[in-house]
Amino acid sequence: MGEFVGELWAFMKERKKFWLLPIVLVLVLLGSLIVLTQGSAVAPFIYTLF
């Protein structure tokens, strides 16, 4: 996983594509939110947000 993050950072640094960083961070946060709340009682409330 660390190698992937390093390669992604090197790509963004070399190609000056720093605008990708917020998009990637939001996708990771939303994905982790869905995975972490999948089996809990909070899940129906999280899914209504989307």
Side-chain angles (χ1 to χ4, degrees):
M1 185 65 178
E3 182 180 338
F4 174 73
V5 173
E7 284 187 29
L8 182 63
W9 178 252
F11 169 78
M12 288 190 297
K13 190 172 155 185
E14 183 176 327
R15 306 256 192 231
K16 307 282 193 258
K17 304 252 184 216
F18 292 110
W19 55 269
L20 286 173
L21 189 60
I23 297 170
V24 170
L25 287 177
V26 167
L27 287 175
V28 167
L29 287 174
L30 287 176
S32 62
L33 178 69
I34 290 173
V35 168
L36 292 176
T37 61
Q38 188 173 7
S40 71
V42 183
F45 301 109
I46 297 297
Y47 288 121
T48 58
L49 294 175
F50 304 109

